[in-house]
Amino acid sequence: MGRRSLICFRTSTVFESLGVPSYADDMNPANADRKQHEAIKELERLQHEGDVLSGLLRPTTAAKADMTDPIERWGRRIGRMLAAIAFLAFCVYFYLAYVR
């Protein structure tokens, strides 16, 4: 069990000259651990940071809004009404342009 493998991981000079890692580099346990650690770190960063569309798709900002403020209430009503009108306008445009 304590013996080391006699297999040596070598890279091709063609791949080295192009700057492309060889297949043997991916099979090296040290590189696999490093890549797994980098991937986990990147996933954690994305989980904390979020993406560009997260504010649009999740209603967290609407839940944080102060409903006692009349400007926020009217702003939300106007925004929803404009979104509904834009949606209907696109539906009519697509129907007239492509279906009819």
Side-chain angles (χ1 to χ4, degrees):
M1 279 257 168
R3 290 180 41 184
R4 294 192 60 153
S5 174
L6 298 176
I7 299 173
C8 295
F9 295 106
R10 297 187 54 117
T11 57
S12 171
T13 57
V14 174
F15 286 118
E16 285 178 349
S17 66
L18 294 175
V20 178
S22 69
Y23 182 71
D25 287 341
D26 291 338
M27 294 179 7
N28 190 350
N31 286 344
D33 290 340
R34 181 181 52 80
K35 285 185 177 186
Q36 183 179 12
H37 179 68
E38 288 175 3
I40 290 172
K41 197 162 72 169
E42 183 71 18
L43 287 173
E44 288 173 353
R45 184 186 66 81
L46 287 175
Q47 182 180 13
H48 292 297
E49 181 180 297
D51 59 341
V52 176
L53 297 177
S54 66
L56 298 175
L57 299 177
R58 281 188 264 149
T60 56
T61 55
K64 292 178 184 177
D66 183 19
M67 290 308 295
T68 59
D69 187 11
I71 294 175
E72 292 216 13
R73 277 198 324 249
W74 277 104
R76 183 175 294 164
R77 288 177 185 166
I78 292 170
R80 287 180 179 167
M81 185 60 66
L82 288 175
I85 291 171
F87 175 74
L88 290 175
F90 278 123
C91 288
V92 169
Y93 169 75
F94 286 135
Y95 174 75
L96 294 175
Y98 296 110
V99 177
R100 198 175 130 185

mmCIF file with all atom_site columns, all heavy atoms in Angstrom, residues 59-84:
data_model
loop_
_atom_site.group_PDB
_atom_site.id
_atom_site.type_symbol
_atom_site.label_atom_id
_atom_site.label_alt_id
_atom_site.label_comp_id
_atom_site.label_asym_id
_atom_site.label_entity_id
_atom_site.label_seq_id
_atom_site.pdbx_PDB_ins_code
_atom_site.Cartn_x
_atom_site.Cartn_y
_atom_site.Cartn_z
_atom_site.occupancy
_atom_site.B_iso_or_equiv
_atom_site.pdbx_formal_charge
_atom_site.auth_seq_id
_atom_site.auth_comp_id
_atom_site.auth_asym_id
_atom_site.auth_atom_id
_atom_site.pdbx_PDB_model_num
ATOM 1   N N   . PRO A 1 59 ? -37.974 37.803 -5.935  1.00 0.00 ? 59 PRO A N   1
ATOM 2   C CA  . PRO A 1 59 ? -38.710 38.962 -5.413  1.00 0.00 ? 59 PRO A CA  1
ATOM 3   C C   . PRO A 1 59 ? -38.174 39.478 -4.088  1.00 0.00 ? 59 PRO A C   1
ATOM 4   O O   . PRO A 1 59 ? -38.922 39.887 -3.229  1.00 0.00 ? 59 PRO A O   1
ATOM 5   C CB  . PRO A 1 59 ? -40.131 38.411 -5.259  1.00 0.00 ? 59 PRO A CB  1
ATOM 6   C CG  . PRO A 1 59 ? -39.940 36.968 -4.993  1.00 0.00 ? 59 PRO A CG  1
ATOM 7   C CD  . PRO A 1 59 ? -38.730 36.561 -5.783  1.00 0.00 ? 59 PRO A CD  1
ATOM 8   N N   . THR A 1 60 ? -36.871 39.446 -3.869  1.00 0.00 ? 60 THR A N   1
ATOM 9   C CA  . THR A 1 60 ? -36.328 39.923 -2.597  1.00 0.00 ? 60 THR A CA  1
ATOM 10  C C   . THR A 1 60 ? -36.433 41.438 -2.469  1.00 0.00 ? 60 THR A C   1
ATOM 11  O O   . THR A 1 60 ? -36.683 41.946 -1.389  1.00 0.00 ? 60 THR A O   1
ATOM 12  C CB  . THR A 1 60 ? -34.857 39.502 -2.436  1.00 0.00 ? 60 THR A CB  1
ATOM 13  O OG1 . THR A 1 60 ? -34.137 39.989 -3.565  1.00 0.00 ? 60 THR A OG1 1
ATOM 14  C CG2 . THR A 1 60 ? -34.726 37.999 -2.350  1.00 0.00 ? 60 THR A CG2 1
ATOM 15  N N   . THR A 1 61 ? -36.243 42.154 -3.555  1.00 0.00 ? 61 THR A N   1
ATOM 16  C CA  . THR A 1 61 ? -36.311 43.615 -3.478  1.00 0.00 ? 61 THR A CA  1
ATOM 17  C C   . THR A 1 61 ? -37.748 44.081 -3.253  1.00 0.00 ? 61 THR A C   1
ATOM 18  O O   . THR A 1 61 ? -37.981 45.067 -2.574  1.00 0.00 ? 61 THR A O   1
ATOM 19  C CB  . THR A 1 61 ? -35.754 44.256 -4.751  1.00 0.00 ? 61 THR A CB  1
ATOM 20  O OG1 . THR A 1 61 ? -36.441 43.729 -5.876  1.00 0.00 ? 61 THR A OG1 1
ATOM 21  C CG2 . THR A 1 61 ? -34.270 43.964 -4.892  1.00 0.00 ? 61 THR A CG2 1
ATOM 22  N N   . ALA A 1 62 ? -38.716 43.370 -3.817  1.00 0.00 ? 62 ALA A N   1
ATOM 23  C CA  . ALA A 1 62 ? -40.115 43.748 -3.608  1.00 0.00 ? 62 ALA A CA  1
ATOM 24  C C   . ALA A 1 62 ? -40.535 43.476 -2.168  1.00 0.00 ? 62 ALA A C   1
ATOM 25  O O   . ALA A 1 62 ? -41.339 44.208 -1.597  1.00 0.00 ? 62 ALA A O   1
ATOM 26  C CB  . ALA A 1 62 ? -41.016 42.982 -4.574  1.00 0.00 ? 62 ALA A CB  1
ATOM 27  N N   . ALA A 1 63 ? -39.987 42.445 -1.571  1.00 0.00 ? 63 ALA A N   1
ATOM 28  C CA  . ALA A 1 63 ? -40.335 42.131 -0.186  1.00 0.00 ? 63 ALA A CA  1
ATOM 29  C C   . ALA A 1 63 ? -39.733 43.161 0.768   1.00 0.00 ? 63 ALA A C   1
ATOM 30  O O   . ALA A 1 63 ? -40.286 43.413 1.838   1.00 0.00 ? 63 ALA A O   1
ATOM 31  C CB  . ALA A 1 63 ? -39.854 40.736 0.171   1.00 0.00 ? 63 ALA A CB  1
ATOM 32  N N   . LYS A 1 64 ? -38.621 43.767 0.386   1.00 0.00 ? 64 LYS A N   1
ATOM 33  C CA  . LYS A 1 64 ? -37.974 44.747 1.243   1.00 0.00 ? 64 LYS A CA  1
ATOM 34  C C   . LYS A 1 64 ? -38.599 46.138 1.122   1.00 0.00 ? 64 LYS A C   1
ATOM 35  O O   . LYS A 1 64 ? -38.267 47.028 1.891   1.00 0.00 ? 64 LYS A O   1
ATOM 36  C CB  . LYS A 1 64 ? -36.487 44.846 0.882   1.00 0.00 ? 64 LYS A CB  1
ATOM 37  C CG  . LYS A 1 64 ? -35.702 43.613 1.208   1.00 0.00 ? 64 LYS A CG  1
ATOM 38  C CD  . LYS A 1 64 ? -34.259 43.796 0.776   1.00 0.00 ? 64 LYS A CD  1
ATOM 39  C CE  . LYS A 1 64 ? -33.459 42.540 1.000   1.00 0.00 ? 64 LYS A CE  1
ATOM 40  N NZ  . LYS A 1 64 ? -32.080 42.670 0.526   1.00 0.00 ? 64 LYS A NZ  1
ATOM 41  N N   . ALA A 1 65 ? -39.469 46.334 0.153   1.00 0.00 ? 65 ALA A N   1
ATOM 42  C CA  . ALA A 1 65 ? -40.045 47.653 -0.079  1.00 0.00 ? 65 ALA A CA  1
ATOM 43  C C   . ALA A 1 65 ? -40.965 48.042 1.073   1.00 0.00 ? 65 ALA A C   1
ATOM 44  O O   . ALA A 1 65 ? -41.651 47.212 1.657   1.00 0.00 ? 65 ALA A O   1
ATOM 45  C CB  . ALA A 1 65 ? -40.814 47.666 -1.387  1.00 0.00 ? 65 ALA A CB  1
ATOM 46  N N   . ASP A 1 66 ? -40.978 49.316 1.358   1.00 0.00 ? 66 ASP A N   1
ATOM 47  C CA  . ASP A 1 66 ? -41.832 49.850 2.422   1.00 0.00 ? 66 ASP A CA  1
ATOM 48  C C   . ASP A 1 66 ? -43.223 50.087 1.850   1.00 0.00 ? 66 ASP A C   1
ATOM 49  O O   . ASP A 1 66 ? -43.417 50.997 1.038   1.00 0.00 ? 66 ASP A O   1
ATOM 50  C CB  . ASP A 1 66 ? -41.219 51.145 2.954   1.00 0.00 ? 66 ASP A CB  1
ATOM 51  C CG  . ASP A 1 66 ? -42.009 51.708 4.111   1.00 0.00 ? 66 ASP A CG  1
ATOM 52  O OD1 . ASP A 1 66 ? -42.788 50.949 4.720   1.00 0.00 ? 66 ASP A OD1 1
ATOM 53  O OD2 . ASP A 1 66 ? -41.835 52.908 4.407   1.00 0.00 ? 66 ASP A OD2 1
ATOM 54  N N   . MET A 1 67 ? -44.197 49.302 2.259   1.00 0.00 ? 67 MET A N   1
ATOM 55  C CA  . MET A 1 67 ? -45.549 49.412 1.707   1.00 0.00 ? 67 MET A CA  1
ATOM 56  C C   . MET A 1 67 ? -46.327 50.581 2.309   1.00 0.00 ? 67 MET A C   1
ATOM 57  O O   . MET A 1 67 ? -47.402 50.913 1.844   1.00 0.00 ? 67 MET A O   1
ATOM 58  C CB  . MET A 1 67 ? -46.314 48.103 1.911   1.00 0.00 ? 67 MET A CB  1
ATOM 59  C CG  . MET A 1 67 ? -45.801 46.973 1.049   1.00 0.00 ? 67 MET A CG  1
ATOM 60  S SD  . MET A 1 67 ? -45.687 47.375 -0.698  1.00 0.00 ? 67 MET A SD  1
ATOM 61  C CE  . MET A 1 67 ? -47.392 47.632 -1.109  1.00 0.00 ? 67 MET A CE  1
ATOM 62  N N   . THR A 1 68 ? -45.810 51.214 3.331   1.00 0.00 ? 68 THR A N   1
ATOM 63  C CA  . THR A 1 68 ? -46.505 52.381 3.882   1.00 0.00 ? 68 THR A CA  1
ATOM 64  C C   . THR A 1 68 ? -46.183 53.641 3.096   1.00 0.00 ? 68 THR A C   1
ATOM 65  O O   . THR A 1 68 ? -46.887 54.642 3.233   1.00 0.00 ? 68 THR A O   1
ATOM 66  C CB  . THR A 1 68 ? -46.103 52.597 5.356   1.00 0.00 ? 68 THR A CB  1
ATOM 67  O OG1 . THR A 1 68 ? -44.699 52.786 5.432   1.00 0.00 ? 68 THR A OG1 1
ATOM 68  C CG2 . THR A 1 68 ? -46.503 51.397 6.195   1.00 0.00 ? 68 THR A CG2 1
ATOM 69  N N   . ASP A 1 69 ? -45.162 53.597 2.264   1.00 0.00 ? 69 ASP A N   1
ATOM 70  C CA  . ASP A 1 69 ? -44.778 54.745 1.451   1.00 0.00 ? 69 ASP A CA  1
ATOM 71  C C   . ASP A 1 69 ? -45.646 54.778 0.190   1.00 0.00 ? 69 ASP A C   1
ATOM 72  O O   . ASP A 1 69 ? -45.621 53.854 -0.616  1.00 0.00 ? 69 ASP A O   1
ATOM 73  C CB  . ASP A 1 69 ? -43.296 54.627 1.073   1.00 0.00 ? 69 ASP A CB  1
ATOM 74  C CG  . ASP A 1 69 ? -42.790 55.866 0.367   1.00 0.00 ? 69 ASP A CG  1
ATOM 75  O OD1 . ASP A 1 69 ? -43.514 56.882 0.362   1.00 0.00 ? 69 ASP A OD1 1
ATOM 76  O OD2 . ASP A 1 69 ? -41.674 55.814 -0.169  1.00 0.00 ? 69 ASP A OD2 1
ATOM 77  N N   . PRO A 1 70 ? -46.442 55.826 -0.003  1.00 0.00 ? 70 PRO A N   1
ATOM 78  C CA  . PRO A 1 70 ? -47.333 55.865 -1.160  1.00 0.00 ? 70 PRO A CA  1
ATOM 79  C C   . PRO A 1 70 ? -46.591 55.940 -2.489  1.00 0.00 ? 70 PRO A C   1
ATOM 80  O O   . PRO A 1 70 ? -47.072 55.441 -3.507  1.00 0.00 ? 70 PRO A O   1
ATOM 81  C CB  . PRO A 1 70 ? -48.171 57.118 -0.937  1.00 0.00 ? 70 PRO A CB  1
ATOM 82  C CG  . PRO A 1 70 ? -47.458 57.922 0.075   1.00 0.00 ? 70 PRO A CG  1
ATOM 83  C CD  . PRO A 1 70 ? -46.616 56.989 0.870   1.00 0.00 ? 70 PRO A CD  1
ATOM 84  N N   . ILE A 1 71 ? -45.400 56.533 -2.515  1.00 0.00 ? 71 ILE A N   1
ATOM 85  C CA  . ILE A 1 71 ? -44.640 56.611 -3.770  1.00 0.00 ? 71 ILE A CA  1
ATOM 86  C C   . ILE A 1 71 ? -44.209 55.222 -4.215  1.00 0.00 ? 71 ILE A C   1
ATOM 87  O O   . ILE A 1 71 ? -44.277 54.887 -5.402  1.00 0.00 ? 71 ILE A O   1
ATOM 88  C CB  . ILE A 1 71 ? -43.425 57.556 -3.591  1.00 0.00 ? 71 ILE A CB  1
ATOM 89  C CG1 . ILE A 1 71 ? -43.927 58.978 -3.349  1.00 0.00 ? 71 ILE A CG1 1
ATOM 90  C CG2 . ILE A 1 71 ? -42.497 57.483 -4.788  1.00 0.00 ? 71 ILE A CG2 1
ATOM 91  C CD1 . ILE A 1 71 ? -42.847 59.968 -3.048  1.00 0.00 ? 71 ILE A CD1 1
ATOM 92  N N   . GLU A 1 72 ? -43.783 54.390 -3.266  1.00 0.00 ? 72 GLU A N   1
ATOM 93  C CA  . GLU A 1 72 ? -43.383 53.029 -3.624  1.00 0.00 ? 72 GLU A CA  1
ATOM 94  C C   . GLU A 1 72 ? -44.584 52.218 -4.105  1.00 0.00 ? 72 GLU A C   1
ATOM 95  O O   . GLU A 1 72 ? -44.475 51.427 -5.033  1.00 0.00 ? 72 GLU A O   1
ATOM 96  C CB  . GLU A 1 72 ? -42.716 52.347 -2.432  1.00 0.00 ? 72 GLU A CB  1
ATOM 97  C CG  . GLU A 1 72 ? -41.398 52.972 -2.101  1.00 0.00 ? 72 GLU A CG  1
ATOM 98  C CD  . GLU A 1 72 ? -40.387 51.963 -1.624  1.00 0.00 ? 72 GLU A CD  1
ATOM 99  O OE1 . GLU A 1 72 ? -40.611 50.754 -1.780  1.00 0.00 ? 72 GLU A OE1 1
ATOM 100 O OE2 . GLU A 1 72 ? -39.358 52.406 -1.114  1.00 0.00 ? 72 GLU A OE2 1
ATOM 101 N N   . ARG A 1 73 ? -45.727 52.410 -3.475  1.00 0.00 ? 73 ARG A N   1
ATOM 102 C CA  . ARG A 1 73 ? -46.938 51.685 -3.912  1.00 0.00 ? 73 ARG A CA  1
ATOM 103 C C   . ARG A 1 73 ? -47.314 52.088 -5.326  1.00 0.00 ? 73 ARG A C   1
ATOM 104 O O   . ARG A 1 73 ? -47.589 51.246 -6.175  1.00 0.00 ? 73 ARG A O   1
ATOM 105 C CB  . ARG A 1 73 ? -48.096 51.974 -2.949  1.00 0.00 ? 73 ARG A CB  1
ATOM 106 C CG  . ARG A 1 73 ? -48.082 51.124 -1.723  1.00 0.00 ? 73 ARG A CG  1
ATOM 107 C CD  . ARG A 1 73 ? -49.434 51.110 -1.024  1.00 0.00 ? 73 ARG A CD  1
ATOM 108 N NE  . ARG A 1 73 ? -50.132 52.379 -1.086  1.00 0.00 ? 73 ARG A NE  1
ATOM 109 C CZ  . ARG A 1 73 ? -50.340 53.173 -0.036  1.00 0.00 ? 73 ARG A CZ  1
ATOM 110 N NH1 . ARG A 1 73 ? -49.899 52.836 1.141   1.00 0.00 ? 73 ARG A NH1 1
ATOM 111 N NH2 . ARG A 1 73 ? -50.987 54.303 -0.180  1.00 0.00 ? 73 ARG A NH2 1
ATOM 112 N N   . TRP A 1 74 ? -47.346 53.403 -5.594  1.00 0.00 ? 74 TRP A N   1
ATOM 113 C CA  . TRP A 1 74 ? -47.713 53.864 -6.934  1.00 0.00 ? 74 TRP A CA  1
ATOM 114 C C   . TRP A 1 74 ? -46.652 53.498 -7.967  1.00 0.00 ? 74 TRP A C   1
ATOM 115 O O   . TRP A 1 74 ? -46.969 53.174 -9.109  1.00 0.00 ? 74 TRP A O   1
ATOM 116 C CB  . TRP A 1 74 ? -47.956 55.379 -6.938  1.00 0.00 ? 74 TRP A CB  1
ATOM 117 C CG  . TRP A 1 74 ? -49.343 55.693 -6.478  1.00 0.00 ? 74 TRP A CG  1
ATOM 118 C CD1 . TRP A 1 74 ? -49.700 56.176 -5.264  1.00 0.00 ? 74 TRP A CD1 1
ATOM 119 C CD2 . TRP A 1 74 ? -50.538 55.500 -7.210  1.00 0.00 ? 74 TRP A CD2 1
ATOM 120 N NE1 . TRP A 1 74 ? -51.056 56.306 -5.183  1.00 0.00 ? 74 TRP A NE1 1
ATOM 121 C CE2 . TRP A 1 74 ? -51.604 55.898 -6.384  1.00 0.00 ? 74 TRP A CE2 1
ATOM 122 C CE3 . TRP A 1 74 ? -50.831 55.035 -8.478  1.00 0.00 ? 74 TRP A CE3 1
ATOM 123 C CZ2 . TRP A 1 74 ? -52.921 55.837 -6.787  1.00 0.00 ? 74 TRP A CZ2 1
ATOM 124 C CZ3 . TRP A 1 74 ? -52.154 54.976 -8.882  1.00 0.00 ? 74 TRP A CZ3 1
ATOM 125 C CH2 . TRP A 1 74 ? -53.170 55.379 -8.041  1.00 0.00 ? 74 TRP A CH2 1
ATOM 126 N N   . GLY A 1 75 ? -45.389 53.532 -7.577  1.00 0.00 ? 75 GLY A N   1
ATOM 127 C CA  . GLY A 1 75 ? -44.329 53.122 -8.488  1.00 0.00 ? 75 GLY A CA  1
ATOM 128 C C   . GLY A 1 75 ? -44.450 51.653 -8.874  1.00 0.00 ? 75 GLY A C   1
ATOM 129 O O   . GLY A 1 75 ? -44.266 51.276 -10.035 1.00 0.00 ? 75 GLY A O   1
ATOM 130 N N   . ARG A 1 76 ? -44.795 50.828 -7.908  1.00 0.00 ? 76 ARG A N   1
ATOM 131 C CA  . ARG A 1 76 ? -44.981 49.407 -8.199  1.00 0.00 ? 76 ARG A CA  1
ATOM 132 C C   . ARG A 1 76 ? -46.195 49.204 -9.107  1.00 0.00 ? 76 ARG A C   1
ATOM 133 O O   . ARG A 1 76 ? -46.148 48.419 -10.056 1.00 0.00 ? 76 ARG A O   1
ATOM 134 C CB  . ARG A 1 76 ? -45.162 48.636 -6.897  1.00 0.00 ? 76 ARG A CB  1
ATOM 135 C CG  . ARG A 1 76 ? -45.289 47.144 -7.144  1.00 0.00 ? 76 ARG A CG  1
ATOM 136 C CD  . ARG A 1 76 ? -45.340 46.366 -5.880  1.00 0.00 ? 76 ARG A CD  1
ATOM 137 N NE  . ARG A 1 76 ? -44.070 46.494 -5.197  1.00 0.00 ? 76 ARG A NE  1
ATOM 138 C CZ  . ARG A 1 76 ? -43.874 46.193 -3.937  1.00 0.00 ? 76 ARG A CZ  1
ATOM 139 N NH1 . ARG A 1 76 ? -44.874 45.742 -3.210  1.00 0.00 ? 76 ARG A NH1 1
ATOM 140 N NH2 . ARG A 1 76 ? -42.696 46.321 -3.381  1.00 0.00 ? 76 ARG A NH2 1
ATOM 141 N N   . ARG A 1 77 ? -47.266 49.906 -8.838  1.00 0.00 ? 77 ARG A N   1
ATOM 142 C CA  . ARG A 1 77 ? -48.475 49.774 -9.680  1.00 0.00 ? 77 ARG A CA  1
ATOM 143 C C   . ARG A 1 77 ? -48.188 50.222 -11.115 1.00 0.00 ? 77 ARG A C   1
ATOM 144 O O   . ARG A 1 77 ? -48.585 49.565 -12.079 1.00 0.00 ? 77 ARG A O   1
ATOM 145 C CB  . ARG A 1 77 ? -49.606 50.617 -9.101  1.00 0.00 ? 77 ARG A CB  1
ATOM 146 C CG  . ARG A 1 77 ? -50.184 50.060 -7.839  1.00 0.00 ? 77 ARG A CG  1
ATOM 147 C CD  . ARG A 1 77 ? -51.238 50.975 -7.277  1.00 0.00 ? 77 ARG A CD  1
ATOM 148 N NE  . ARG A 1 77 ? -51.705 50.499 -5.996  1.00 0.00 ? 77 ARG A NE  1
ATOM 149 C CZ  . ARG A 1 77 ? -52.424 51.217 -5.156  1.00 0.00 ? 77 ARG A CZ  1
ATOM 150 N NH1 . ARG A 1 77 ? -52.762 52.458 -5.470  1.00 0.00 ? 77 ARG A NH1 1
ATOM 151 N NH2 . ARG A 1 77 ? -52.811 50.712 -4.016  1.00 0.00 ? 77 ARG A NH2 1
ATOM 152 N N   . ILE A 1 78 ? -47.515 51.365 -11.258 1.00 0.00 ? 78 ILE A N   1
ATOM 153 C CA  . ILE A 1 78 ? -47.199 51.879 -12.602 1.00 0.00 ? 78 ILE A CA  1
ATOM 154 C C   . ILE A 1 78 ? -46.257 50.931 -13.325 1.00 0.00 ? 78 ILE A C   1
ATOM 155 O O   . ILE A 1 78 ? -46.439 50.629 -14.511 1.00 0.00 ? 78 ILE A O   1
ATOM 156 C CB  . ILE A 1 78 ? -46.600 53.300 -12.497 1.00 0.00 ? 78 ILE A CB  1
ATOM 157 C CG1 . ILE A 1 78 ? -47.666 54.280 -12.008 1.00 0.00 ? 78 ILE A CG1 1
ATOM 158 C CG2 . ILE A 1 78 ? -46.012 53.747 -13.826 1.00 0.00 ? 78 ILE A CG2 1
ATOM 159 C CD1 . ILE A 1 78 ? -47.129 55.639 -11.638 1.00 0.00 ? 78 ILE A CD1 1
ATOM 160 N N   . GLY A 1 79 ? -45.257 50.421 -12.624 1.00 0.00 ? 79 GLY A N   1
ATOM 161 C CA  . GLY A 1 79 ? -44.319 49.488 -13.235 1.00 0.00 ? 79 GLY A CA  1
ATOM 162 C C   . GLY A 1 79 ? -44.991 48.213 -13.703 1.00 0.00 ? 79 GLY A C   1
ATOM 163 O O   . GLY A 1 79 ? -44.718 47.709 -14.803 1.00 0.00 ? 79 GLY A O   1
ATOM 164 N N   . ARG A 1 80 ? -45.873 47.675 -12.901 1.00 0.00 ? 80 ARG A N   1
ATOM 165 C CA  . ARG A 1 80 ? -46.580 46.450 -13.302 1.00 0.00 ? 80 ARG A CA  1
ATOM 166 C C   . ARG A 1 80 ? -47.511 46.715 -14.478 1.00 0.00 ? 80 ARG A C   1
ATOM 167 O O   . ARG A 1 80 ? -47.643 45.891 -15.382 1.00 0.00 ? 80 ARG A O   1
ATOM 168 C CB  . ARG A 1 80 ? -47.361 45.896 -12.117 1.00 0.00 ? 80 ARG A CB  1
ATOM 169 C CG  . ARG A 1 80 ? -46.460 45.270 -11.080 1.00 0.00 ? 80 ARG A CG  1
ATOM 170 C CD  . ARG A 1 80 ? -47.241 44.723 -9.932  1.00 0.00 ? 80 ARG A CD  1
ATOM 171 N NE  . ARG A 1 80 ? -46.341 44.112 -8.952  1.00 0.00 ? 80 ARG A NE  1
ATOM 172 C CZ  . ARG A 1 80 ? -46.711 43.769 -7.737  1.00 0.00 ? 80 ARG A CZ  1
ATOM 173 N NH1 . ARG A 1 80 ? -47.960 43.993 -7.334  1.00 0.00 ? 80 ARG A NH1 1
ATOM 174 N NH2 . ARG A 1 80 ? -45.847 43.224 -6.915  1.00 0.00 ? 80 ARG A NH2 1
ATOM 175 N N   . MET A 1 81 ? -48.161 47.869 -14.475 1.00 0.00 ? 81 MET A N   1
ATOM 176 C CA  . MET A 1 81 ? -49.062 48.208 -15.574 1.00 0.00 ? 81 MET A CA  1
ATOM 177 C C   . MET A 1 81 ? -48.270 48.375 -16.876 1.00 0.00 ? 81 MET A C   1
ATOM 178 O O   . MET A 1 81 ? -48.681 47.886 -17.937 1.00 0.00 ? 81 MET A O   1
ATOM 179 C CB  . MET A 1 81 ? -49.843 49.475 -15.256 1.00 0.00 ? 81 MET A CB  1
ATOM 180 C CG  . MET A 1 81 ? -50.882 49.818 -16.307 1.00 0.00 ? 81 MET A CG  1
ATOM 181 S SD  . MET A 1 81 ? -52.137 48.543 -16.532 1.00 0.00 ? 81 MET A SD  1
ATOM 182 C CE  . MET A 1 81 ? -52.945 48.591 -14.962 1.00 0.00 ? 81 MET A CE  1
ATOM 183 N N   . LEU A 1 82 ? -47.124 49.064 -16.821 1.00 0.00 ? 82 LEU A N   1
ATOM 184 C CA  . LEU A 1 82 ? -46.296 49.226 -18.019 1.00 0.00 ? 82 LEU A CA  1
ATOM 185 C C   . LEU A 1 82 ? -45.762 47.885 -18.522 1.00 0.00 ? 82 LEU A C   1
ATOM 186 O O   . LEU A 1 82 ? -45.692 47.654 -19.732 1.00 0.00 ? 82 LEU A O   1
ATOM 187 C CB  . LEU A 1 82 ? -45.143 50.189 -17.737 1.00 0.00 ? 82 LEU A CB  1
ATOM 188 C CG  . LEU A 1 82 ? -45.523 51.658 -17.587 1.00 0.00 ? 82 LEU A CG  1
ATOM 189 C CD1 . LEU A 1 82 ? -44.297 52.474 -17.189 1.00 0.00 ? 82 LEU A CD1 1
ATOM 190 C CD2 . LEU A 1 82 ? -46.129 52.194 -18.865 1.00 0.00 ? 82 LEU A CD2 1
ATOM 191 N N   . ALA A 1 83 ? -45.425 46.999 -17.611 1.00 0.00 ? 83 ALA A N   1
ATOM 192 C CA  . ALA A 1 83 ? -44.948 45.672 -18.015 1.00 0.00 ? 83 ALA A CA  1
ATOM 193 C C   . ALA A 1 83 ? -46.058 44.888 -18.708 1.00 0.00 ? 83 ALA A C   1
ATOM 194 O O   . ALA A 1 83 ? -45.829 44.214 -19.720 1.00 0.00 ? 83 ALA A O   1
ATOM 195 C CB  . ALA A 1 83 ? -44.428 44.912 -16.806 1.00 0.00 ? 83 ALA A CB  1
ATOM 196 N N   . ALA A 1 84 ? -47.286 44.986 -18.185 1.00 0.00 ? 84 ALA A N   1
ATOM 197 C CA  . ALA A 1 84 ? -48.411 44.288 -18.812 1.00 0.00 ? 84 ALA A CA  1
ATOM 198 C C   . ALA A 1 84 ? -48.717 44.862 -20.188 1.00 0.00 ? 84 ALA A C   1
ATOM 199 O O   . ALA A 1 84 ? -48.974 44.112 -21.143 1.00 0.00 ? 84 ALA A O   1
ATOM 200 C CB  . ALA A 1 84 ? -49.645 44.374 -17.908 1.00 0.00 ? 84 ALA A CB  1
#
